[in-house]
Amino acid sequence: MAKATTAPYMCSATNLALVFIKKYVENDGFNKMIQAYDKKDYKALFETAHNVKGMTANLGLKSLSNISSSICESVRKGEPDMDLEPLIENAKKIQTDIIKNVALLDE
């Protein structure tokens, strides 16, 4: 029986997922979210947290997606309805881990 092969212009689902995760890391959306938080620009924070939530959800980065969702909902109507500092700090730690793990893949 002949072994199935992938055409040279196609890639596996795993490789495709890695390509998109690398694109996410290269994207400045997360940094914009942190900048909006630092500036207390809650409209921009809502928009950037919403974007990060969508990107990370689509990539299966569930922890960061959940945190971004909580941030997004907290500022949906303007001023945050909770202390966002613990969420922001946790998001930064997760983002750092994602970046480190992606860098390991390139070694």
Side-chain angles (χ1 to χ4, degrees), residues 39-104:
K39 293 177 183 176
K40 297 187 181 352
D41 182 347
Y42 299 123
K43 182 177 188 281
L45 181 57
F46 172 79
E47 292 169 0
T48 55
H50 189 269
N51 290 338
V52 170
K53 175 185 75 168
M55 287 187 289
T56 54
N58 285 327
L59 293 170
L61 303 171
K62 194 170 187 163
S63 295
L64 193 51
S65 177
N66 289 341
I67 291 170
S68 300
S69 179
S70 294
I71 294 168
C72 184
E73 291 308 312
S74 178
V75 295
R76 181 175 288 278
K77 296 178 182 174
E79 293 280 323
D81 60 9
M82 64 187 338
D83 179 12
L84 296 179
E85 186 68 23
L87 291 173
I88 293 293
E89 290 306 313
N90 198 13
K92 287 178 182 179
K93 288 176 188 171
I94 294 168
Q95 179 76 358
T96 298
D97 287 345
I98 292 168
I99 292 168
K100 284 179 183 176
N101 286 314
V102 167
L104 288 173

Side-chain angles (χ1 to χ4, degrees), residues 1-7:
M1 180 175 236
K3 181 180 175 186
T5 60
T6 303

Side-chain angles (χ1 to χ4, degrees), residues 15-32:
N15 288 341
L16 188 59
L18 292 175
V19 166
F20 285 117
I21 289 174
K22 286 179 182 181
K23 292 281 185 196
Y24 163 75
V25 168
E26 294 168 1
N27 182 287
D28 65 346
F30 183 86
N31 292 331
K32 286 182 178 180

